[in-house]
Amino acid sequence: MYSHFFTIAALAAIASAQNSTSSNSTSSSSLIDLLGSTPSLSSLSAAVVGVPGLAGVLGSATNITILAPSNDAFAKFMESPAAAALAANDTAAIQALLTYHVLNGTYPASAVTQTPAFIPTLLNNSAYANVTGCQVVEAVRQGDNVVFYSGLLSNSSVETADQNFTGGVVHIIDTVLTIPQNVSSTAIAAGLSGVAGALTRANLVDTVDSLKDVTIFAPNNSAFQAIGSALPNLTTSQLASILQYHVVNGTVAYSSTLMDGASVPALSGGDLKITIVDGDVFVNSAKVLIPDVLVANGVVHVIDNVLNPNNTAVAPEPTASVQTPAFAGASSVASLDYTSGIPTPTQAIGAGPTPAEESGSSTAASSSPAAGAASPMKTGAMGAAALFAGAGVWMNA
């Protein structure tokens, strides 16, 4: 069905081969020595040394990659809305954020390619990572830059790579990672009011938030508006069936694992057909506009069409700027009544328009940078002071 873990396995093999041949692969420096001797990590160094037991835990770990926010990254984080969100010192969120910055494996920057790889971190708390194994970050090379994408497409670029220590390697990054949120919160933050409103109307919010290992193809607002005349006539059960047809349960299918010609079972029954044409990804007749939005329980791909479980034979139109709606006879509307109670996001998750504003341009080749850190699934990413004060809970977890 999918080439599960092929990309990450290949990346790990490359990393292993490069580590075995690199003259810098067996550095004698401890992590604490490395942090203490790196001026741009003085904030992180002071925090690690100042928290009883934390230095020992990190120093004794092996075969890890630490994505270490720089002093400027912490300063930027402290000015973000997320810093105030966890002033209450949520110990579970502290543990989650710390472990999300530690990759399971040693990955030099040279192992990261232009093909996105989804690397497991040490974050496995099911309240924040309802996936098999651990939550991931996306690693991809964009030009000369190595970039890590986290929740809400937050973009963390590597400023200084391959700082080796006895347990692995440190990459200094320019932005604190964002722990992926649940599906409903991500939809609201992404401006996908059509999805958020439809889930609410169909009583599916708790269902999609609690399912484990999901892939969701989420129509943008324009897609719902394109069939707007048909929506008021749907019963709750009919709407739920349509929405469940957009969900694959039991498989987290990142863009790099989708294969041309694959058929995948939808939660509602029936199959979804994957088509790839010149790098553009289609599911049935819908085009993937924004891939790989990480969520707590899997991944979301934003698409330009609402899928119809009763019209599965419709084929994609690769040259069209917008795909033809799959609901025959439906006409477009200017607004959706059932979205009136959905909160408006305070900032876009990407550097460009929100997914709701995308019309026809494809972004399937890469993710979009985010404006800044945002909250984990339960509450939010914590302020640096709370993180440093409470980091000792990691040793007792």
Side-chain angles (χ1 to χ4, degrees):
M1 184 183 299
Y2 296 108
S3 53
H4 292 302
F5 307 120
F6 175 80
T7 302
I8 186 64
L11 181 66
I14 294 171
S16 176
Q18 291 174 335
N19 283 340
S20 65
T21 59
S22 171
S23 60
N24 295 324
S25 62
T26 56
S27 170
S28 60
S29 297
S30 70
L31 176 62
I32 302 307
D33 290 340
L34 174 60
L35 295 179
S37 62
T38 307
S40 63
L41 296 179
S42 60
S43 295
L44 180 60
S45 176
V48 170
V49 173
V51 176
L54 180 57
V57 170
L58 291 177
S60 63
T62 59
N63 193 30
I64 60 174
T65 300
I66 295 178
L67 303 180
S70 67
N71 295 344
D72 288 342
F74 278 123
K76 179 171 61 175
F77 179 75
M78 288 298 293
E79 295 176 355
S80 72
L86 267 192
N89 193 17
D90 185 322
T91 55
I94 290 167
Q95 178 183 354
L97 188 64
L98 286 169
T99 52
Y100 193 49
H101 282 76
V102 184
L103 308 187
N104 189 358
T106 304
Y107 299 98
S110 56
V112 179
T113 71
Q114 293 180 345
T115 299
F118 298 87
I119 304 176
T121 69
L122 298 189
L123 176 56
N124 62 3
N125 183 337
S126 61
Y128 299 91
N130 191 16
V131 291
T132 298
C134 297
Q135 186 56 270
V136 304
V137 294
E138 177 186 353
V140 65
R141 183 174 294 276
Q142 297 179 338
D144 294 330
N145 299 321
V146 173
V147 180
F148 291 92
Y149 288 97
S150 52
L152 301 182
L153 297 179
S154 178
N155 174 341
S156 299
S157 297
V158 173
E159 294 181 329
T160 304
D162 300 332
Q163 304 299 294
N164 295 309
F165 68 102
T166 51
V169 65
V170 171
H171 301 307
I172 302 175
I173 57 176
D174 66 355
T175 303
V176 174
L177 299 179
T178 297
I179 295 178
Q181 299 183 5
N182 60 31
V183 174
S184 59
S185 296
T186 297
I188 292 172
L192 295 174
S193 58
V195 170
L199 289 173
T200 300
R201 180 182 165 196
N203 300 316
L204 288 177
V205 172
D206 290 341
T207 298
V208 298
D209 284 347
S210 61
L211 288 173
K212 184 175 183 177
D213 293 331
V214 298
T215 302
I216 296 177
F217 298 96
N220 64 5
N221 291 351
S222 296
F224 280 104
Q225 290 169 346
I227 63 165
S229 67
L231 296 176
N233 300 321
L234 297 174
T235 66
T236 299
S237 177
Q238 289 172 330
L239 178 60
S241 179
I242 291 171
L243 294 176
Q244 289 170 340
Y245 187 60
H246 292 72
V247 179
V248 178
N249 188 207
T251 298
V252 182
Y254 305 111
S255 61
S256 57
T257 67
L258 294 173
M259 298 182 65
D260 183 37
S263 292
V264 298
L267 180 63
S268 63
D271 290 332
L272 301 171
K273 183 178 180 181
I274 305 300
T275 305
I276 301 177
V277 179
D278 295 330
D280 289 328
V281 178
F282 298 85
V283 52
N284 289 3
S285 63
K287 184 177 183 178
V288 174
L289 299 178
I290 301 179
D292 302 322
V293 181
L294 302 179
V295 290
N297 54 344
V299 68
V300 171
H301 305 295
V302 180
I303 58 177
D304 71 347
N305 213 343
V306 178
L307 306 178
N308 187 347
N310 297 316
N311 186 13
T312 61
V314 60
E317 304 172 40
T319 60
S321 59
V322 178
Q323 299 299 300
T324 301
F327 291 79
S331 58
S332 63
V333 297
S335 62
L336 301 170
D337 291 341
Y338 64 83
T339 64
S340 59
I342 302 302
T344 301
T346 57
Q347 63 179 26
I349 67 169
T354 64
E357 292 170 337
E358 292 289 343
S359 55
S361 60
S362 172
T363 58
S366 62
S367 301
S368 301
S375 59
M377 186 178 82
K378 278 189 171 180
T379 48
M382 71 288 312
L387 185 153
F388 296 152
V393 300
W394 194 11
M395 283 70 74
N396 301 317

